[in-house]
Amino acid sequence: MEFPLIAPRPPRLSALTEGLRRIEASGVFSNNGPEVRGFEAEITAQLFGGEGASLAVGNATLGLMVAIRQAAGMHPRPGTLALMPALTFAATAQAALWAGLTPLVCDVEADGWTADPRHEEELLARYGERIGVIVPYATFGTAIDLDRYAWLARTHRVGVVIDAAASLGTIDEGGRGFGTGAPFTIVYSMHATKTFSVAEGGLVYSGDATLIDQLRGMINFGFEAGRSATLPGINAKLPEVIALMARAKLAEIDAVCDARAAIDAAYRAALPAFTMQVATGRRQATQFMPVLLPRDLAAHRSAIVAALAEDGVGVGQYFSPHIGEQPLFRDHGLVEPTPVADDVAARMLSLPITDAMTPADAPVIAARLIAAIERVADGAAGRVGLRTEERSVATDLATVVIGGGPAGTAMLTSASKQDKLVPLAEAGLAIVERRTRMGAGELGSYAIRSDTTAETFLSAVKDNPHPELAALAQHPAGQLMERYVGELGAPLADTAPLLTATADRLKAIVTRHGGEVLTGHDATQVQRTADGRWATSVRDGAGAVRTLVSRNVVVATGGYQTDAQVAGKRVAGMPLGVLAGRRLMRSDVLLRQGGVEAVHERLRGVPSPRIAIVGASTSAIAAAVLLLKSQPGFAFGAGAVTILHRQPLKPFYPTIAAAHADGFHDFDENDICPVSGFVLRLAGLRLESRELVLRMLALGGRTPDPRVTSHRIGGDEDAAAREIIEGADLVVGALGYRPRAVSLLGVDGAPLALAHHAGRPMVDRHCRILDAQDRPVPGAYGIGLSAGFVPWGKLGGEASFTGQANGLWLWQNDVGQMIVDQLLEREAQAAA
């Protein structure tokens, strides 16, 4: 017996001849005729207990378009966002685009496959009023928590439209039709493939009848009264013949849903080892049976589907690819990292549930699924490593890049700008990134502005030789960055979408030219081989291990800060942890989303708090800026925030004349970059941090902020510094980061002793990783935060600079180019 995935069974028109004659006799075939009005009244009474009102529309996508437009405020500003989950049908995002909004795609939760509440709320906090509407999806007909969305609508003053395409017939926990009484609009589908199978059509419902009244005008060209448009409108009316079919389907929908629920239960009993959607509500209007393959079988899904087709079972893959993986929405939306949706979509199978089936058919299909898996897995296990103890080895690589965050992708960006990315990929390139997507790293989790201009972020893509990268200037992520041109940096959270979109396109170029990008993988160690190459051990999320053998390895794993590291730093002759005790907070905690709230919690009950910030870096000044401008604010009095620093606080200036014009003379010829002419190009503070220091120094006629002061630490005997720290209610340690470097092992498997282990820079002036004797380790390079690189020669920089340079512009240009040139030169030498 064969089992198609979907076998539409809409009402038979041949059985509705009386109704067809009634339509013909009325002479009304559309325009809200008697059949449509009758259906709307009947479904409101039968499925929604007579509460609210219903509106029949031509199809659910049209319903979403008008409902989203209404909920977003009728005339949304350009760039207004529609927040929606990754695991939904394309129609959800298409409707948002047609309504003039930009899709903002979030992750899903692992059990019900609906929008992840924590991610939704994080994005609502981050994007604020730019989000005009939330469009949750009631995944596969499930009954999601509508009370929570009503709370979100009130709390964030944001519109809500529920995409409930498959939920017509679902009953919630209270025994009511899903959506009953909702204060916003809910859109259902009556497509032939749905459980509420008609032919084509949709239904918009709300517990608020005034919303439906307005939508009724919008689906009729925007005519609220008469023939003069007063609203944005289209023609989305349901024809009378389809309404007749919908009335017939309504009469049988309870029996249809009950029968399908019994098949659902039979599947769950027959496939106990498979992951399935957590059931909610009393009854789900099940369209098909979604199950997840085990992770080690995801790579064989296509073969399993083909094997089932040979056995007469039709199988779908809803929703794979999810909307965050589809080109249109990647190019014209903002796609957040979606690790759960990526995993679910990669493993999803949709098994048949049709009106022609009985519960007895479910175990038959289940048995065929297991048999197909056994056939496919037995033939493939040796090739791809289904078992975690098996290893696959790639031995012909030129370069392995460990880390696909801002620095790792910046190096690829540099290669693309010099038209060297393709040769790099063709030589044999693999990129390993532990997150599910490359690009932004952890930048999206910070609450501060960048110390890099928006123009710098955009320069990575504008006029890029690769058209797909150049086009990002017009992408929503590029347009978002464009808003900050000329300002004091961009919020780091708003830089993440452009970095991620850029990385997606870099990935496509690399893979198209023979390279490999392993996201969701950890590089656990890198060992020297007997022939002088590097063997990088890589583990995926399921524990499967691969080995990548390459001539070169580039470490771009960033930096980190720990409580012990900050507490152990000596300040005024004593460890900071001893001076500050439990009042110590590392700057990395404060600077992230939620950091200011954590400070509020720590200082609760302190009427006039005093805060000491230890450090002279951008992080230290950014911490002060964040505290001073936070809302709600702190009850800071005069001198409440003290910045303690060893080196003078100095601002960057583009020219000597500009510095003198502001009254700044605390520099000499050693502080001037010979390449650019900039004053304190590397050591000078920039953008928001610079502005605060300019005020503190009263430069250019600026008035100091009385709430902040500074103290330059004089040495180990500085009793005043100790007194400031001991008298503070909170002490923020902004004392740098250390490299988060993967272990490099010798041929014998013993860890190599490296310079950064002793606290010295990780790399030399050519970005080569240094050993304990400060000698370059052949074929090993480093880039990024805490690498310790200092610009020199044509890269410029002032002679007086003694720190390290961690600038995105440098990584995307001269520093990245330096590494790429060395990699390609080594390949040329190897080929010769």
Side-chain angles (χ1 to χ4, degrees):
M1 182 176 179
E2 294 198 352
F3 298 97
L5 174 62
I6 296 173
R9 188 179 282 182
R12 297 169 62 88
L13 283 171
S14 59
L16 301 175
T17 54
E18 181 179 345
L20 291 171
R21 293 192 184 97
R22 186 169 64 242
I23 293 171
E24 290 177 345
S26 73
V28 178
F29 298 93
S30 185
N31 290 349
N32 198 33
E35 297 298 330
V36 166
R37 293 196 305 272
F39 167 63
E40 291 172 347
E42 290 163 6
I43 199 167
T44 302
Q46 181 174 326
L47 296 190
F48 305 114
E51 290 188 48
S54 299
L55 174 67
V57 290
N59 59 58
T61 305
L62 291 169
L64 285 170
M65 287 165 59
V66 294
I68 289 171
R69 184 66 178 265
Q70 179 197 56
M74 289 295 187
H75 301 286
R77 292 177 297 176
T80 297
L81 304 175
L83 174 58
M84 62 189 65
L87 208 66
T88 186
F89 190 52
T92 315
Q94 291 280 21
L97 289 174
W98 278 104
L101 278 65
T102 299
L104 171 62
V105 180
C106 73
D107 206 0
V108 300
E109 44 81 34
D111 295 329
W113 309 331
T114 57
D116 181 349
R118 290 173 300 180
H119 201 193
E120 282 182 319
E121 290 172 35
E122 175 194 331
L123 295 177
L124 284 164
R126 187 196 309 170
Y127 287 98
E129 63 181 15
R130 278 180 291 186
I131 298 179
V133 61
I134 315 173
V135 192
Y137 176 53
T139 314
F140 303 139
T142 191
I144 60 177
D145 185 354
L146 299 183
D147 288 339
R148 176 177 168 274
Y149 283 105
W151 173 77
L152 288 177
R154 294 191 303 270
T155 302
H156 295 275
R157 297 180 180 177
V158 64
V160 173
V161 174
I162 307 294
D163 183 344
S167 299
L168 205 48
T170 292
I171 297 175
D172 66 20
E173 289 287 356
R176 306 188 305 172
F178 172 68
T180 300
F184 33 69
T185 50
I186 304 183
V187 181
Y188 310 85
S189 175
M190 301 188 298
H191 190 269
T193 59
K194 293 293 187 289
T195 302
F196 198 105
S197 174
V198 179
E200 184 65 274
L203 185 82
V204 184
Y205 167 81
S206 177
D208 184 349
T210 59
L211 292 180
I212 299 299
D213 287 341
Q214 190 174 56
L215 286 170
R216 194 175 298 281
M218 293 178 70
I219 70 161
N220 186 31
F221 307 102
F223 298 155
E224 289 182 282
R227 305 284 288 179
S228 181
T230 56
L231 301 169
I234 55 175
N235 180 10
K237 299 184 293 294
L238 187 73
E240 287 287 273
V241 171
I242 305 301
L244 177 66
M245 297 174 70
R247 297 179 81 173
K249 177 56 69 173
L250 180 61
E252 63 180 31
I253 189 59
D254 281 329
V256 169
C257 288
D258 287 343
R260 288 176 173 243
I263 299 170
D264 179 299
Y267 268 123
R268 292 176 186 271
L271 295 169
F274 284 76
T275 300
M276 299 181 186
Q277 186 181 28
V278 171
T280 60
R282 296 190 183 181
R283 183 185 72 190
Q284 192 161 326
T286 311
Q287 184 180 1
F288 42 73
M289 190 68 203
V291 301
L292 297 188
L293 288 170
R295 286 188 176 87
D296 56 1
L297 290 173
H300 303 289
R301 181 171 59 180
S302 296
I304 293 168
V305 170
L308 280 167
E310 292 175 1
D311 290 344
V313 179
V315 180
Q317 299 174 32
Y318 297 97
F319 296 104
S320 180
H322 63 66
I323 61 171
E325 297 170 324
Q326 296 175 29
L328 176 69
F329 309 123
R330 285 204 314 264
D331 294 349
H332 299 282
L334 297 178
V335 181
E336 290 286 314
T338 55
V340 178
D342 297 346
D343 175 60
V344 171
R347 299 194 284 137
M348 183 71 75
L349 283 183
S350 307
L351 303 177
I353 291 183
T354 69
D355 294 339
M357 290 172 56
T358 70
D361 294 323
V364 175
I365 295 171
R368 294 185 190 180
L369 170 62
I370 293 169
I373 289 173
E374 289 175 348
R375 294 202 306 274
V376 170
D378 285 344
R383 287 198 310 277
V384 297
L386 292 179
R387 302 175 183 87
T388 58
E389 66 269 16
E390 295 180 354
R391 292 170 176 259
S392 61
V393 180
T395 60
D396 59 347
L397 296 173
T399 302
V400 170
V401 178
I402 303 172
T409 52
M411 189 192 81
L412 302 180
T413 297
S414 175
S416 75
K417 294 170 73 171
Q418 299 298 320
D419 217 5
K420 295 179 180 179
L421 182 58
V422 171
L424 193 65
E426 290 178 343
L429 174 66
I431 304 156
V432 182
E433 167 56 37
R434 63 187 179 88
R435 296 176 183 82
T436 57
R437 291 178 77 187
M438 299 197 305
E442 297 182 6
L443 289 187
S445 67
Y446 284 90
I448 58 174
R449 286 182 175 251
S450 68
D451 62 351
T452 300
T453 65
E455 290 87 337
T456 294
F457 283 96
L458 289 168
S459 70
V461 297
K462 283 186 174 179
D463 302 320
N464 193 287
H466 294 271
E468 59 266 61
L469 289 170
L472 285 173
Q474 303 307 317
H475 184 279
Q479 293 299 296
L480 176 61
M481 191 56 52
E482 193 75 38
R483 296 182 181 183
Y484 300 108
V485 168
E487 294 191 15
L488 296 177
L492 283 176
D494 285 350
T495 69
L498 181 58
L499 291 174
T500 301
T502 302
D504 286 343
R505 301 196 179 192
L506 290 167
K507 174 182 177 180
I509 296 168
V510 168
T511 55
R512 190 164 63 245
H513 291 279
E516 188 172 12
V517 177
L518 300 174
T519 51
H521 287 67
D522 269 314
T524 56
Q525 66 178 35
V526 182
Q527 184 171 355
R528 176 71 79 185
T529 64
D531 61 357
R533 294 187 291 173
W534 295 104
T536 302
S537 297
V538 177
R539 183 176 59 234
D540 68 13
V545 177
R546 296 183 59 186
T547 301
L548 308 175
V549 180
S550 61
R551 287 176 287 282
N552 308 293
V553 63
V554 179
V555 178
T557 46
Y560 69 102
Q561 192 182 71
T562 66
D563 291 335
Q565 168 198 353
V566 173
K569 290 278 190 177
R570 296 185 70 82
V571 177
M574 295 182 67
L576 185 57
V578 174
L579 285 171
R582 299 178 69 177
R583 295 170 293 120
L584 182 61
M585 171 186 277
R586 53 190 169 90
S587 60
D588 195 60
V589 173
L590 169 57
L591 298 177
R592 290 179 184 265
Q593 303 283 350
V596 170
E597 289 77 6
V599 173
H600 274 288
E601 186 62 30
R602 284 207 187 196
L603 298 179
R604 180 174 296 185
V606 180
S608 299
R610 303 187 71 82
I611 296 177
I613 301 173
V614 183
S617 65
T618 294
S619 295
I621 312 304
V625 171
L626 187 62
L627 291 169
L628 292 170
K629 71 176 186 178
S630 68
Q631 294 295 329
F634 296 90
F636 289 144
V641 177
T642 302
I643 301 171
L644 296 99
H645 53 96
R646 290 191 179 91
Q647 300 300 321
L649 300 178
K650 293 185 177 182
F652 159 84
Y653 277 97
T655 65
I656 296 173
H660 288 169
D662 256 4
F664 181 64
H665 302 278
D666 189 13
F667 63 94
D668 58 30
E669 63 274 8
N670 290 321
D671 297 316
I672 301 168
C673 171
V675 174
S676 64
F678 295 164
V679 177
L680 296 162
R681 174 186 172 188
L682 300 178
L685 293 157
R686 295 177 179 249
L687 302 176
E688 272 201 319
S689 296
R690 175 180 184 269
E691 188 61 30
L692 178 59
V693 169
L694 292 176
R695 293 187 65 187
M696 293 172 66
L697 299 176
L699 294 170
R702 294 170 177 84
T703 302
D705 187 328
R707 298 173 297 170
V708 63
T709 187
S710 67
H711 175 84
R712 188 172 179 185
I713 301 171
D716 287 351
E717 304 304 319
D718 192 337
R722 291 197 294 270
E723 183 179 348
I724 292 169
I725 294 170
E726 290 168 349
D729 299 296
L730 180 73
V731 179
V732 178
L735 296 168
Y737 293 76
R738 62 179 58 181
R740 186 190 284 113
V742 65
S743 297
L744 298 186
L745 310 179
V747 177
D748 59 358
L752 296 179
L754 301 174
H756 75 84
H757 294 159
R760 299 195 302 278
M762 184 171 79
V763 301
D764 67 3
R765 64 193 310 201
H766 299 285
C767 292
R768 299 175 298 187
I769 292 178
L770 297 171
D771 68 13
Q773 284 73 47
D774 291 325
R775 299 171 303 194
V777 178
Y781 303 86
I783 185 174
L785 183 64
S786 295
F789 176 78
V790 179
W792 60 281
K794 69 174 185 176
L795 277 66
E798 62 269 27
S800 61
F801 183 69
T802 58
Q804 57 177 300
N806 294 311
L808 185 68
W809 187 90
L810 281 171
W811 299 341
Q812 290 179 342
N813 291 278
D814 293 334
V815 176
Q817 182 182 341
M818 176 188 296
I819 297 177
V820 170
D821 287 345
Q822 292 177 87
L823 296 174
L824 292 176
E825 182 180 351
R826 283 175 62 87
E827 287 311 297
Q829 292 172 350

